[in-house]
Amino acid sequence: MSTDPRTGLNTAVEACGRYAGQSGRLALVVREPDGSAQRWTYEELDRLAARTARVFATAGLRRGDRVAAVLTRQVESLVVALAAWRSGLVYVPLYCGFGSDAMAHRIEVSRAALVVTDGRFRETLWLAQSQLSTDVHVLTVGAARDGDRPFWAEV
């Protein structure tokens, strides 16, 4: 792919995809509070981003639509961003410390069609959803509410 933005620059390709063919090349290390670590290669992240992009397409999202995320510094945050960029979607990161009013405002103003959230922030998102003028799809990492779709099961 060209690196000239006028001819098709894709952030997902530039950040990850271009290295995915280098089997075993380390892209990310996530350190857990217990001292353990998860290691992710570019190949793994690229594959997960492709699968997540298909989930977004199945949910009806098309180029230019918005995907919001209420996630911490966790691998799902990077996977969702890469999947959005890969698909021509707009990635809208939301601060985990937002209250429901602030979260609802940002989801509404951004016109996000889908939100990926960590289960720890699901209650705040649920309260925010009650303030929205439209429904949004929700994918939840970890503990989910009734009606949510579990992120990893979908991917």
Side-chain angles (χ1 to χ4, degrees), residues 2-138:
S2 169
T3 57
D4 182 347
R6 295 169 295 179
T7 60
L9 177 73
N10 185 296
T11 304
V13 172
E14 296 303 315
C16 182
R18 68 185 339 183
Y19 307 107
Q22 300 172 19
S23 184
R25 184 169 180 182
L26 186 63
L28 177 69
V29 177
V30 177
R31 299 267 181 216
E32 301 296 339
D34 67 3
S36 65
Q38 296 177 22
R39 297 180 178 280
W40 299 87
T41 65
Y42 284 101
E43 183 177 30
E44 291 169 322
L45 293 175
D46 191 56
R47 188 173 353 103
L48 287 171
R51 290 167 60 186
T52 303
R54 284 192 293 275
V55 170
F56 294 161
T58 300
L61 276 66
R62 301 292 174 253
R63 182 175 288 281
D65 287 344
R66 280 91 172 155
V67 173
V70 187
L71 300 165
T72 61
R73 292 179 291 175
Q74 58 197 86
V75 72
E76 293 88 354
S77 185
L78 182 56
V79 170
V80 169
L82 290 170
W85 297 332
R86 175 188 197 106
S87 304
L89 303 173
V90 178
Y91 176 64
V92 181
L94 298 175
Y95 174 56
C96 299
F98 281 149
S100 59
D101 291 344
M103 194 176 292
H105 175 73
R106 282 154 181 88
I107 293 169
E108 189 81 37
V109 169
S110 71
R111 297 184 325 269
L114 184 143
V115 179
V116 180
T117 186
D118 188 289
R120 295 173 286 180
F121 313 111
R122 186 58 183 102
E123 187 67 23
T124 303
L125 177 59
W126 179 76
L127 292 170
Q129 282 179 272
S130 69
Q131 301 174 45
L132 299 175
S133 62
T134 60
D135 289 335
V136 294
H137 295 278
V138 176

